[in-house]
Amino acid sequence: MLLETNERTVADEARALQARYGNLEPADIIELAIDHLFNEEIAVVSSFGAESSVLLHLIAQVDRATPVLFLETGKHFPATLRYRDELVGELGMTDVHDIHPLQQTLKDEDPYGAMSMTNKDRCCYIRKVEPMARAVAPYRAWMTGRKQFQASTRNALPVFESVGERIRINPLAQWTSADLQNYMVANHLPPHPLVAEGYRSIGCMPCTQPVKEGEDARSGRWAGSDKTECGIHLTGLTDQLSNISLTDSSL
Ligand code: SF4
């Protein structure tokens, strides 16, 4: 009952933050979140994908010690891992965490590492949703690089939203693809090497393919299936986190 009350309070807080600050520029939102709203209780989740450099660069201008959480599913393109190391070094981020799936769960449920071919939802759950809940549990808030333009399912994405007892912040929600490109060029940010090969949203290797001009950037993810999100931004994460109060980050 107390948890439900806390969640309602946090949902009200997210709505109030959205009404007051939802139209600020990304740099101002990030500074506000890190320096004033959630000081030392905030992290950023990054996929080190096609446009990840923008959010990380903006955060590095405020605090290079902001924790960066990377879901190391074990299924990434080698190019993504190299890009991650290069970008982290270039931006000087000092607190990067690889978040792994539970080894016992992998042994029990996916001993051959082929679950992405037979049950993508479960594969994403054990490799992304559960690890993500474990990773963000110690924080009061986390930032993501999600944008409204990326897919029709993200058209109404707010900057501030609640996830159980915690706040999720999408500082770039209202930026367009052109805004991101301009920012990358102006700040000499290195592109993910696979962008040149037509990949515009980059996740795990078995579930990512290039997209054609004019298609949703995310249409190359889980192409050929109904799946559009891995679940770390959906209710599965909320359900996981609903079992972890802010005073219990031991999951
Ligand atoms: S994106 Fe594909 S490989 Fe990665 S966790 Fe999900 S189903 Fe598995």
Side-chain angles (χ1 to χ4, degrees), residues 73 75 116 120 123-124 127-128 204 206-207 222 227:
T73 63
K75 299 289 179 185
S116 65
K120 290 187 191 311
C123 185
C124 278
R127 287 189 165 83
K128 292 185 172 182
C204 294
C207 302
W222 306 284
K227 193 171 169 63

Side-chain angles (χ1 to χ4, degrees), residues 26 29-30 51-52 54-56 58 144-149 157 159 169-176 180:
I29 292 165
I30 290 166
E51 295 145 347
S52 296
V54 173
L55 182 63
L56 293 170
L58 283 161
T144 85
R146 290 184 302 161
K147 280 80 64 179
Q148 293 171 349
F149 79 83
L157 182 72
V159 171
I169 307 170
N170 310 301
L172 302 174
Q174 294 170 18
W175 268 21
T176 64
L180 295 164

Side-chain angles (χ1 to χ4, degrees), residues 97-169:
H97 302 255
D98 280 1
I99 313 297
H100 297 273
L102 296 171
Q103 288 309 303
Q104 192 59 49
T105 306
L106 290 182
K107 263 191 204 156
D108 293 344
E109 297 197 33
D110 191 15
Y112 304 110
M115 192 184 259
S116 65
M117 290 190 278
T118 56
N119 189 341
K120 290 187 191 311
D121 285 343
R122 187 65 190 166
C123 185
C124 278
Y125 184 84
I126 65 176
R127 287 189 165 83
K128 292 185 172 182
V129 178
E130 184 284 327
M132 173 84 174
R134 194 163 15 101
V136 298
Y139 303 99
R140 251 191 340 126
W142 72 92
M143 294 174 276
T144 85
R146 290 184 302 161
K147 280 80 64 179
Q148 293 171 349
F149 79 83
Q150 283 175 307
S152 51
T153 48
R154 294 185 177 177
N155 278 346
L157 182 72
V159 171
F160 294 92
E161 53 187 344
S162 64
V163 181
E165 281 190 295
R166 295 165 179 80
I167 301 273
R168 181 167 53 203
I169 307 170

Side-chain angles (χ1 to χ4, degrees), residues 1-247:
M1 179 60 88
L2 179 60
L3 197 56
E4 282 175 23
T5 307
N6 287 347
E7 288 183 9
R8 271 200 300 277
T9 306
V10 175
D12 289 343
E13 182 187 358
R15 276 191 286 275
L17 290 170
Q18 177 65 23
R20 190 161 179 194
Y21 303 120
N23 287 318
L24 291 180
E25 285 298 314
D28 297 329
I29 292 165
I30 290 166
E31 185 182 5
L32 178 77
I34 293 177
D35 284 348
H36 303 288
L37 297 175
F38 303 105
N39 195 14
E40 301 205 347
E41 292 183 286
I42 185 167
V44 55
V45 177
S46 180
S47 64
F48 289 90
E51 295 145 347
S52 296
S53 62
V54 173
L55 182 63
L56 293 170
H57 183 267
L58 283 161
I59 289 171
Q61 308 312 301
V62 178
D63 184 359
R64 289 188 169 85
T66 303
V68 180
L69 312 176
F70 173 65
L71 297 177
E72 173 43 302
T73 63
K75 299 289 179 185
H76 288 290
F77 290 91
T80 297
L81 302 180
R82 286 194 298 273
Y83 179 61
R84 180 198 62 169
D85 293 345
E86 180 189 331
L87 197 55
V88 163
E90 194 152 312
L91 299 179
M93 303 300 288
T94 60
D95 193 19
V96 181
H97 302 255
D98 280 1
I99 313 297
H100 297 273
L102 296 171
Q103 288 309 303
Q104 192 59 49
T105 306
L106 290 182
K107 263 191 204 156
D108 293 344
E109 297 197 33
D110 191 15
Y112 304 110
M115 192 184 259
S116 65
M117 290 190 278
T118 56
N119 189 341
K120 290 187 191 311
D121 285 343
R122 187 65 190 166
C123 185
C124 278
Y125 184 84
I126 65 176
R127 287 189 165 83
K128 292 185 172 182
V129 178
E130 184 284 327
M132 173 84 174
R134 194 163 15 101
V136 298
Y139 303 99
R140 251 191 340 126
W142 72 92
M143 294 174 276
T144 85
R146 290 184 302 161
K147 280 80 64 179
Q148 293 171 349
F149 79 83
Q150 283 175 307
S152 51
T153 48
R154 294 185 177 177
N155 278 346
L157 182 72
V159 171
F160 294 92
E161 53 187 344
S162 64
V163 181
E165 281 190 295
R166 295 165 179 80
I167 301 273
R168 181 167 53 203
I169 307 170
N170 310 301
L172 302 174
Q174 294 170 18
W175 268 21
T176 64
S177 183
D179 291 331
L180 295 164
Q181 292 309 317
N182 291 340
Y183 188 92
M184 282 192 256
V185 170
N187 292 284
H188 312 289
L189 297 176
H192 189 300
L194 292 179
V195 170
E197 297 178 30
Y199 292 84
R200 292 190 48 218
S201 175
I202 301 164
C204 294
M205 189 160 49
C207 302
T208 305
Q209 63 184 46
V211 299
K212 295 191 181 71
E213 200 59 43
E215 288 180 338
D216 263 5
R218 287 180 62 80
S219 63
R221 305 286 292 278
W222 306 284
S225 77
D226 292 340
K227 193 171 169 63
T228 56
E229 299 274 356
C230 63
I232 62 170
H233 307 303
L234 301 178
T235 53
L237 180 67
T238 313
D239 295 345
Q240 273 278 337
L241 281 170
S242 287
N243 298 322
I244 316 168
S245 87
L246 276 170
T247 54

